[in-house]
Amino acid sequence: MAIRKVGVIGAGVMGAGIAAQISNAGIPVVLLDRAGKQGTASLAEQAIGKLLKSKPAAFMSRRNARLITPGILDEDLERLSDADWIIEAVSEDLALKHSIYRQIAGIRKRGAMVSSNTSTIPLTALVKGLPRSFKQNFLITHFFNPPRYMRLLEVVSGDKTSARGLEQVLNFADQALGKGVVRCKDTPGFIANRIGGFWLQCALLEALELGLTVEEADAVCGRPMGFPKTGVFGLMDLIGLDLMPRILDSLCSLLPAGDALHAIRDIPPLLSGMIEGGYTGRKGKGGFYRLKISAEGRHKEAVDLRSGEYRRPEKPRLESLRAAKAGLRALVEHPDRGGLYASRVLLRTLAYTASLATEIAGNIATIDQAMRLGYNWRHGPFELIDRLDSEWLVGQLEQEGMAIPPALADAAKKGGFYRKEGGVRQYLGANGGYHKSTRAGGISTLSDAKLEAKPVAANAGARLWDIGDGVLCLEFCSKMNSLDPDILGMLVQTVTELPKSHRALVIHNESTNFSVGANLGLLLFASNIAAWSEVEGLVKAGQDAYSALKYAPFPVVGAPSGMALGGGCELLLHCDAVQAHSETYMGLVETGVGLVPAWGGCKELLGRMACNPRRPRGPMPPVQGAFEPIAEARVSTSAAEAQEGGFLGPRDRISMNPERLLADAKALALSLASNYSPPEPFAFQLPGPSGQAALELAIQGFHRRGLATEHDVRVAGKLAWVLSGGDHGGPCSEEQLLALERTAFVELARHPDTIARVEYMLENGKPLRN
């Protein structure tokens, strides 16, 4: 039985977010909650309204809201009678949950799965007193907030849970919802919150004891450790300060007396006072940080951990932070208070995790995955132990007089929790042996391929990998995957030198972002020395490389995730097809730095608009359709939105799970390889000066209202000139349009305002807002 309809009971933050993510998968969902106050919409209707306004967006496309049917629990429960999966997401009140389960039992269809989104209540307590038939179709599915962006889904099943029903939910969560599914044992807090709660509380108490500032603590307990840049105090602000006491109380009420969390469970007076005063983080009046609005404008403030008063931020100046550049061991061994803080937090957190190795999950790899996905740790706790060295950690714990967990002692004897054997990654099991790390069917990552082979070709900017079945994968490896001559050279080499031995090419990497665009540092350097022939040469090199890609003798599939901006977006526009992760953010953003797309982006987007059968005929509609997103430097907030905006076409596909992206892209590439022939070039019919004049009229209107600067007008005018076909219009080939792009780009690159914008972007990582 496939999952074709889902019901969600509880329209709070979590329930509504879960419903939105199910709609993002294209599945209809019924959302039920109580009626609203007299004269107001139901709570479910109100929740959908909030979802449509939420930032970051809960919906991948606003159209998905139509897939959610709101209702009132007491009146509309029958709407769930044909649901294949019913998710309970009400408050952590066991009596309330049992009442709802009894209602569900009376209407659900045979075989329909029911799950709870509880974060702490054990499965045994949830199903106590319920009929066997209900227990067989019941499990825990713990989503993390916000459900669209947090990939972790913790799943707990019982010994009576139907294997078939469980498999259906797991597959749906993995493939349709894009979740990293982690199987947990039925223990309090499961995996991520059990470890994460201990880590956050430990980090809070140690910062107070050692006299660190919030900025120092977050700088240490952030990127140097491989934790999110928010650090611990920023993270507590994000999740809500009032949530911490509730998590600790709930966990400690269920944990055995000897659990180490009991020793650190006390909430410090500072935190209690902040919560009582309404300072609960971003959702309240502020937290450990706040944004203060005064006559001077908006500025950030931080809490002084000693006085409890807000003050201006202080930049951390710890020697240990500089030492951390040499590695994690250098940080924890540094003698200043930052190093001591890092050592105390890590020793206690890692020792606690190692003590739970067999209690909370089937293996250590599962625990590491849960922390990477649920708390955005770059490395899981057991991977961190290996980075520090398990034998070293044992020695440190012995010096502190702390108990050595058996799992850690075993790893110290055997050389670590992980090893690579014959190109395969293995983890240390509870039985003392090493076991092969396995993935679900259909998951194939570039990291796995790289374990088993050396690159086919490589240079400083890119590497080419053989991923089997005659398919190559081109990986960028420059900083932020910015596109430079090395990458362009590898593109040309791949297309011209390797076509005979391979059937297809996939362009993919596993970085946070596919590509942020061209390396602006090269442009700025050439501009500063007035090397305009070099600028034109760089533009021509990109155009030639992308044209070679488009007309390669084999199919090329782009497989992006994260940002694909500027030249990165242009590259995808030249691919035969794109298999995009759902969280792909595409846009031609060159106008933000005073330029126009010049690696064929104008040409390709214009061609897509001209070929769109839903657009009106004639020379002007395609020009207008391409002009607006480029002039506004519009970036899609999802792959679905990119498809609606024309950056992705009808041939392109979307993968919800990033771990399936490469395998999906490879399958798409192979499907195109049979009897492949390159595409026919676009032949444009463009309006010329009349079209340019019409576009410039709109630009001047923005300028008069103060919404565009003089340089914005200049840049948009050049863009209008390119898209309209230059000074003459009429029939226009791809080569002619590329020449117009090149001319406009070089002319704008010479302008002082463009150079100033490029400098600002390189210094601040964001475009200058006028």
Side-chain angles (χ1 to χ4, degrees):
M1 179 182 69
I3 293 176
R4 296 188 177 90
K5 180 179 177 180
V6 178
V8 177
I9 299 177
V13 172
M14 283 305 302
I18 293 167
Q21 183 63 0
I22 292 167
S23 77
N24 288 334
I27 301 297
V29 53
V30 175
L31 179 63
L32 301 182
D33 208 315
R34 300 189 309 274
K37 293 179 180 179
Q38 190 171 5
T40 65
S42 69
L43 296 187
E45 289 174 305
Q46 293 178 41
I48 295 170
K50 291 176 183 176
L51 288 171
L52 285 166
K53 297 175 184 176
S54 66
K55 290 186 179 180
F59 293 114
M60 293 179 181
S61 166
R62 293 180 65 85
R63 298 174 185 174
N64 295 341
R66 302 171 191 168
L67 290 169
I68 303 179
T69 302
I72 298 170
L73 179 60
D74 293 338
E75 300 173 8
D76 301 310
L77 190 63
E78 282 292 333
R79 291 182 178 178
L80 304 185
S81 61
D82 61 343
D84 302 301
W85 179 18
I86 301 170
I87 303 167
E88 167 269 301
V90 301
S91 60
E92 297 287 70
D93 180 329
L94 188 56
L96 174 61
K97 291 178 187 289
H98 278 163
S99 172
I100 288 172
Y101 299 156
R102 284 191 289 271
Q103 293 178 67
I104 293 172
I107 58 94
R108 74 180 179 100
K109 70 179 183 181
R110 186 176 180 180
M113 297 301 292
V114 180
S115 69
S116 174
N117 185 54
T118 182
S119 58
T120 55
I121 302 175
L123 183 78
T124 50
L126 291 171
V127 298
K128 187 175 181 180
L130 294 171
R132 180 182 179 86
S133 60
F134 193 88
K135 294 177 181 178
Q136 287 176 336
N137 297 119
F138 188 85
L139 64 155
I140 291 171
T141 51
H142 179 217
F143 290 78
F144 277 64
N145 191 37
R148 171 180 166 181
Y149 300 96
M150 297 302 293
R151 290 194 54 238
L152 177 60
L153 180 69
E154 293 182 317
V155 174
V156 180
S157 59
D159 54 2
K160 294 182 175 60
T161 305
S162 159
R164 183 180 178 187
L166 173 64
E167 193 66 22
Q168 287 167 349
V169 171
L170 297 182
N171 288 340
F172 181 81
D174 166 5
Q175 298 176 37
L177 301 184
K179 295 299 175 186
V181 179
V182 168
R183 301 287 301 279
C184 310
K185 292 185 179 180
D186 192 20
T187 58
F190 315 127
I191 297 175
N193 281 344
R194 179 85 174 268
I195 297 168
F198 184 96
W199 166 63
L200 286 172
Q201 180 71 354
C202 180
L204 168 63
L205 297 180
E206 292 293 350
L208 292 169
E209 184 173 330
L210 291 169
L212 272 75
T213 66
V214 291
E215 296 94 338
E216 288 173 336
D218 282 350
V220 171
C221 216
R223 283 177 168 166
M225 292 186 184
F227 299 152
K229 65 179 181 180
T230 56
V232 289
F233 289 104
L235 179 58
M236 283 189 275
D237 277 359
L238 182 63
I239 64 177
L241 273 58
D242 55 330
L243 190 61
M244 280 300 297
R246 295 207 298 268
I247 291 175
L248 293 173
D249 287 345
S250 179
L251 285 172
C252 289
S253 69
L254 298 166
L255 292 173
D259 193 275
L261 184 61
H262 289 291
I264 62 169
R265 68 168 293 179
D266 290 342
I267 301 300
L270 171 68
L271 183 57
S272 299
M274 292 177 69
I275 295 170
E276 289 172 10
Y279 294 93
T280 54
R282 295 188 187 183
K283 65 183 180 180
K285 295 189 290 186
F288 290 104
Y289 299 96
R290 74 174 180 183
L291 197 61
K292 179 77 176 292
I293 302 175
S294 66
E296 302 172 10
R298 295 155 61 97
H299 60 269
K300 192 175 184 181
E301 292 185 332
V303 162
D304 185 307
L305 294 179
R306 289 187 175 139
S307 69
E309 301 295 325
Y310 282 100
R311 54 161 174 77
R312 288 295 183 101
E314 298 174 356
K315 187 174 181 180
R317 301 186 185 280
L318 296 168
E319 287 295 326
S320 52
L321 291 174
R322 282 187 277 274
K325 294 177 181 178
L328 190 57
R329 276 277 291 275
L331 172 63
V332 298
E333 290 181 333
H334 197 278
D336 75 1
R337 66 178 183 274
L340 184 58
Y341 178 62
S343 176
R344 285 189 182 182
V345 172
L346 276 182
L347 257 63
R348 283 155 178 74
T349 301
L350 297 179
Y352 182 65
T353 304
S355 73
L356 303 175
T358 58
E359 178 186 337
I360 61 177
N363 56 66
I364 62 162
T366 296
I367 296 173
D368 279 346
Q369 183 186 17
M371 295 311 295
R372 289 195 304 269
L373 295 178
Y375 277 75
N376 283 330
W377 288 13
R378 187 181 306 151
H379 310 287
F382 295 98
E383 293 168 326
L384 282 172
I385 292 173
D386 277 3
R387 291 174 73 84
L388 288 168
D389 183 73
S390 52
E391 192 173 355
W392 175 89
L393 184 57
V394 166
Q396 296 299 305
L397 293 175
E398 287 174 341
Q399 286 181 28
E400 294 284 329
M402 297 172 65
I404 310 300
L408 179 58
D410 194 30
K413 291 176 186 175
K414 292 186 167 66
F417 282 105
Y418 291 95
R419 72 179 186 184
K420 190 173 83 170
E421 191 76 17
V424 177
R425 194 177 191 228
Q426 299 178 334
Y427 64 86
L428 182 62
N431 63 358
Y434 284 92
H435 305 267
K436 180 182 177 181
S437 296
T438 57
R439 298 185 185 274
I443 290 180
S444 175
T445 69
L446 186 57
S447 298
D448 292 339
K450 289 158 68 172
L451 282 174
E452 303 173 12
K454 293 181 179 180
V456 175
N459 62 25
R463 291 183 286 257
L464 197 63
W465 301 92
D466 189 331
I467 56 174
D469 300 313
V471 181
L472 294 171
C473 180
L474 180 63
E475 174 194 29
F476 305 150
C477 49
S478 59
K479 184 178 180 181
M480 296 189 74
N481 294 327
S482 60
L483 302 165
D484 57 21
D486 286 324
I487 291 176
L488 297 179
M490 183 62 72
L491 276 171
V492 173
Q493 180 185 346
T494 302
V495 170
T496 57
E497 296 181 15
L498 300 170
K500 293 181 181 178
S501 57
H502 290 86
R503 302 173 62 195
L505 174 68
V506 172
I507 303 177
H508 170 71
N509 60 72
E510 294 175 342
S511 301
T512 303
N513 296 307
F514 177 73
S515 173
V516 296
N519 186 335
L520 291 176
L522 297 176
L523 172 63
L524 183 62
F525 176 78
S527 299
N528 285 337
I529 60 173
W532 305 117
S533 61
E534 293 294 320
V535 172
E536 185 166 6
L538 181 62
V539 175
K540 185 68 165 62
Q543 290 181 343
D544 290 346
Y546 284 11
S547 291
L549 195 69
K550 180 176 180 178
Y551 298 111
F554 47 75
V556 178
V557 173
S561 181
M563 290 190 290
L565 305 179
C569 179
E570 290 179 287
L571 186 148
L572 295 173
L573 290 172
H574 284 81
C575 292
D576 291 284
V578 174
Q579 182 80 43
H581 177 228
S582 54
E583 298 298 345
T584 297
Y585 317 121
M586 293 179 68
L588 296 171
V589 297
E590 287 86 349
T591 57
V593 290
L595 298 165
V596 296
W599 282 353
C602 294
K603 162 181 68 75
E604 290 299 313
L605 189 59
L606 184 61
R608 288 180 181 230
M609 296 296 174
C611 294
N612 188 338
R614 286 180 281 186
R615 285 197 170 270
R617 300 294 91 194
M620 197 59 197
V623 173
Q624 181 92 25
F627 177 80
E628 290 176 2
I630 299 176
E632 295 173 15
R634 197 181 296 168
V635 178
S636 71
T637 61
S638 66
E641 198 171 277
Q643 210 154 36
E644 292 169 6
F647 289 113
L648 295 178
R651 199 182 215 179
D652 301 328
R653 300 174 185 173
I654 297 172
S655 298
M656 291 292 281
N657 192 329
E659 292 186 325
R660 294 185 175 275
L661 182 58
L662 180 59
D664 290 347
K666 178 181 173 182
L668 177 57
L670 288 171
S671 72
L672 297 174
S674 181
N675 300 316
Y676 175 78
S677 58
E680 291 294 321
F682 291 123
F684 300 103
Q685 185 70 31
L686 300 177
S690 63
Q692 181 183 351
L695 295 175
E696 287 181 337
L697 190 63
I699 300 164
Q700 291 295 341
F702 281 102
H703 181 51
R704 283 193 298 272
R705 297 200 303 273
L707 300 176
T709 66
E710 286 188 13
H711 194 54
D712 291 331
V713 172
R714 185 178 296 111
V715 173
K718 276 296 169 187
L719 175 63
W721 178 76
V722 171
L723 293 172
S724 299
D727 295 331
H728 305 290
C732 187
S733 68
E734 288 193 354
E735 291 75 15
Q736 289 171 315
L737 205 56
L738 287 171
L740 294 174
E741 287 184 10
R742 198 160 58 245
T743 299
F745 185 97
V746 175
E747 183 176 327
L748 288 169
R750 290 172 174 264
H751 199 281
D753 285 359
T754 293
I755 295 172
R757 291 188 182 193
V758 171
E759 287 177 337
Y760 186 90
M761 171 65 89
L762 290 171
E763 289 173 7
N764 298 279
K766 57 185 179 181
L768 178 64
R769 301 295 180 192
N770 297 297

